[in-house]
Amino acid sequence: MTDKEQQRPAALVTGAATRLGLAFATALADRGCDIALHYHHSSEQAQQQAELIRRRGVRCETFPFDLADDDPGCLVEQVYHCFPRLQVLINSASAYHAGTIADTDRALLQKQFSVNFFAPYLLSGSFAKQVTRGSIINILDNKIAFQQYQYGAYLMSKKALAEFTKLAAMEFSPRIRVNGIAPGVVLPGETRTGDYIDWRIQGIPLQRQGRVEDLTRAMNYLLDSEFVTGQILFVDGGEGMNHRGLNAEDYESGDKVE
């Protein structure tokens, strides 16, 4: 191993075989970070993407792990053993299921919280024990600004993670900075139609869909800005603040807020 390789920082990205996790892992590789690529079911994709990341001139190793059922602290120990210069943790893995509070059973609630809250909580604690100095970024959802009970368990797990972001920032300072990114309409699920996206855009002040690059730029900002901790950066075109509430003037003018 060359001196340059020994000096490269490393990053653990959960859920990094696909979608946003992969985008963050790739952007970190472009920053010169070695990558610990976590995945659960996407084994073939993980191996393919790891090879593409290696072509960027960094080391990339894959780590299969079930964040819902296994102890997340063990994952950090495995990564740290492989990458002693671990400095970054991106909690990107997520479980997303719709369901009102009334329709949520114990199994759904447990699944949402195990992946979306318990895993980042435990990963962060283990990371703080192993790493001298570093940065944690929790990937949230701009839905934390809303009260969308149609996603009750999912939304509560992300709201809990948002509060944890601030709490962990206090505990881990000054060694480790902890921040969050709350994406809006950037990379919708494959089942979302074009009509649905157009409808969502109507509620976004900037009147457009975001790009993955908007999120990786946000990540780079949080990694580079060493005087920022405990913050949640909404990357959603202003959608999260676009709630005027019902009022008499709108009612009388016929401009009904739905």
Side-chain angles (χ1 to χ4, degrees):
M1 183 179 295
T2 66
D3 291 341
K4 184 176 181 180
E5 289 173 331
Q6 290 178 337
Q7 294 174 1
R8 275 200 307 258
L12 166 58
V13 184
T14 65
T18 61
R19 295 174 58 79
L20 290 183
L22 175 60
F24 291 126
T26 303
L28 284 161
D30 289 339
R31 289 175 60 95
C33 290
D34 289 333
I35 302 299
L37 190 156
H38 160 264
Y39 70 94
H40 185 202
H41 295 297
S42 307
S43 177
E44 183 175 347
Q45 289 174 295
Q47 302 307 323
Q48 293 174 348
Q49 297 303 335
E51 182 55 36
L52 292 175
I53 288 174
R54 293 181 190 116
R55 294 178 188 177
R56 288 174 146 79
V58 300
R59 183 182 172 195
C60 181
E61 302 295 339
T62 59
F63 293 84
F65 202 87
D66 184 351
L67 293 175
D69 294 329
D70 298 328
D71 180 6
C74 295
L75 174 60
V76 175
E77 292 176 3
Q78 293 174 23
V79 171
Y80 188 75
H81 179 75
C82 187
F83 293 108
R85 285 186 56 79
L86 180 64
Q87 294 181 14
V88 176
L89 169 62
I90 309 291
N91 285 310
S92 182
S94 183
Y96 180 80
H97 296 283
T100 64
I101 297 170
D103 291 333
T104 298
D105 59 17
R106 184 182 183 88
L108 177 58
L109 186 64
Q110 183 70 36
K111 174 71 172 179
Q112 297 297 276
F113 268 81
S114 291
V115 177
N116 298 336
F117 179 65
F118 296 157
Y121 187 111
L122 296 170
L123 286 168
S124 298
S126 183
F127 180 87
K129 290 178 181 178
Q130 299 282 0
V131 174
T132 302
R133 295 190 67 84
S135 183
I136 298 171
I137 299 177
N138 295 319
I139 308 306
L140 303 163
D141 190 317
N142 79 328
K143 282 183 169 60
I144 62 174
F146 311 143
Q147 305 302 328
Q148 292 183 350
Y149 55 82
Q150 297 90 342
Y151 306 90
Y154 168 80
L155 187 52
M156 285 306 303
S157 68
K158 288 294 187 177
K159 285 176 180 281
L161 184 58
E163 289 301 311
F164 170 74
T165 298
K166 294 179 280 187
L167 189 67
M170 291 294 295
E171 178 176 341
F172 300 156
S173 290
R175 297 185 302 110
I176 295 170
R177 295 183 300 107
V178 186
N179 293 289
I181 297 173
V185 184
V186 175
L187 194 60
E190 295 178 354
T191 60
R192 303 306 191 192
T193 65
D195 289 344
Y196 170 81
I197 301 303
D198 291 341
W199 174 75
R200 283 290 301 274
I201 288 173
Q202 294 177 29
I204 300 175
L206 291 185
Q207 290 290 289
R208 62 179 176 83
Q209 182 177 346
R211 299 170 298 177
V212 172
E213 291 81 2
D214 296 319
L215 298 175
T216 56
R217 289 192 190 101
M219 179 197 73
N220 286 329
Y221 166 76
L222 292 175
L223 292 176
D224 291 334
S225 301
E226 296 185 354
F227 201 48
V228 176
T229 194
Q231 303 303 305
I232 297 172
L233 184 56
F234 280 75
V235 185
D236 67 349
E239 184 184 25
M241 65 179 181
N242 188 24
H243 287 269
R244 296 178 297 171
L246 301 179
N247 65 82
E249 296 302 316
D250 285 339
Y251 179 82
E252 293 173 1
S253 68
D255 183 14
K256 304 297 191 297
V257 180
E258 298 182 357

